[in-house]
């Protein structure tokens, strides 16, 4: 069992009295957009997704290859051309009907994916932009700005980029675009390299 409760200016998730994660609203940080990739290029890049041959977490809800459509997002980012000197990865993603918050999640006339699924979509693509296949990492911190919510059944493009590295930390960014090329949401991440032999013990 886990508890979720407010603590100072954050919401903290704990298990057995030990904090696991925290979240808070911030107003002084704005994630930068990763330059877009054409839809066809992003779709083609999915064939070279490293997770097809090696995946440390194959049942991951977002990028796991062991998930069926409707059971996971099946976001499979592959390498695309560099932009502004940064290596990028990209994938197309069509939000499944199961990813709406409930039957009343609408903005204007469109049914849309939940906020939680929008955040999730921006997560793992950062790890694969940061060479997940070569250096096993887990998410340490993520800052996200959501402009709107993705339309259920509409094809979107996700683009991720590596920003740098320092010791065990890798810094990445990701941006979600709709089928008209407009920014839906964006994020920046800090990933922490782990020892696969001891992780989870």
């Amino acid at each position: 069992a886990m508890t979720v409760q407010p603590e100072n200016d954050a919401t903290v998730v704990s298990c057995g009295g030990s904090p696991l994660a925290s979240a808070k609203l911030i107003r002084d940080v704005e994630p930068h957009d990763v330059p877009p990739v054409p839809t066809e290029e992003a779709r083609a890049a999915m064939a070279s997704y490293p997770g097809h041959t090696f995946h440390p977490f194959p049942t991951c809800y977002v990028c796991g290859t062991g998930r069926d459509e409707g059971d996971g997002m099946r976001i499979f980012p592959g390498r695309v051309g560099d932009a502004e000197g940064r290596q990028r990865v990209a994938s197309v993603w069509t939000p499944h009907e199961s990813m709406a918050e409930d039957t009343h999640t609408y903005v204007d006339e469109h049914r849309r994916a939940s906020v939680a699924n929008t955040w999730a979509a921006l997560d793992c693509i950062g790890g694969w932009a940061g060479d997940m296949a070569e250096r096993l990492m887990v998410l340490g911190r993520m800052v996200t700005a959501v402009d709107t919510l993705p339309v259920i059944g509409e094809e979107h493009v996700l683009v991720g980029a590596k920003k740098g590295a320092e010791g065990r930390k890798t810094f990445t960014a990701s941006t979600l675009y709709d089928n008209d090329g407009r920014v839906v949401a964006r994020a920046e991440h800090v990933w922490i390299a782990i020892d696969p032999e001891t992780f989870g013990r």
Side-chain angles (χ1 to χ4, degrees):
M2 294 185 287
T3 60
V4 181
Q5 59 187 19
E7 186 175 304
N8 298 323
D9 62 344
T11 298
V12 179
V13 179
S14 301
C15 181
S18 299
L20 300 177
S22 65
K24 64 180 178 179
L25 178 66
I26 57 174
R27 301 188 184 279
D28 58 348
V29 176
E30 181 69 20
H32 295 94
D33 296 345
V34 180
V37 168
T39 301
E40 291 303 322
E41 185 177 354
R43 187 180 295 111
M46 296 173 71
S48 63
Y49 173 49
H52 288 312
T53 54
F54 163 78
H55 202 304
F57 310 110
T59 57
C60 174
Y61 174 69
V62 179
C63 66
T65 52
R67 295 275 192 162
D68 294 327
E69 184 178 355
D71 178 50
M73 292 184 162
R74 297 177 59 80
I75 294 171
F76 300 151
R79 186 68 55 86
V80 294
D82 291 352
E84 302 174 359
R86 295 188 293 178
Q87 68 180 41
R88 292 184 299 167
V89 295
S91 174
V92 297
W93 172 54
T94 301
H96 189 270
E97 191 74 19
S98 63
M99 294 170 188
E101 187 73 45
D102 55 41
T103 56
H104 304 292
T105 305
Y106 287 87
V107 175
D108 50 58
E109 75 279 13
H110 300 294
R111 188 175 185 209
R112 299 187 180 243
S114 68
V115 172
N117 278 296
T118 303
W119 271 67
L122 292 161
D123 181 351
C124 297
I125 190 165
W128 292 104
D131 296 326
M132 177 76 80
E134 298 174 14
R135 183 158 107 143
L136 187 57
M137 304 179 294
V138 293
L139 184 65
R141 178 171 292 175
M142 178 173 173
V143 178
T144 304
V146 178
D147 295 344
T148 186
L149 296 173
V151 176
I152 296 292
E154 179 181 291
E155 191 171 59
H156 294 68
V157 172
L158 280 154
V159 188
K162 182 177 179 180
K163 298 175 61 183
E166 179 183 313
R168 292 176 59 206
K169 296 179 180 178
T170 297
F171 306 96
T172 64
S174 60
T175 303
L176 174 63
Y177 292 91
D178 68 14
N179 64 357
D180 291 320
R182 294 173 297 208
V183 172
V184 173
R186 66 193 72 80
E188 293 187 359
H189 324 81
V190 179
W191 298 85
I192 308 297
I194 58 171
D195 179 354
E197 296 296 322
T198 60
F199 180 69
R201 290 184 183 175

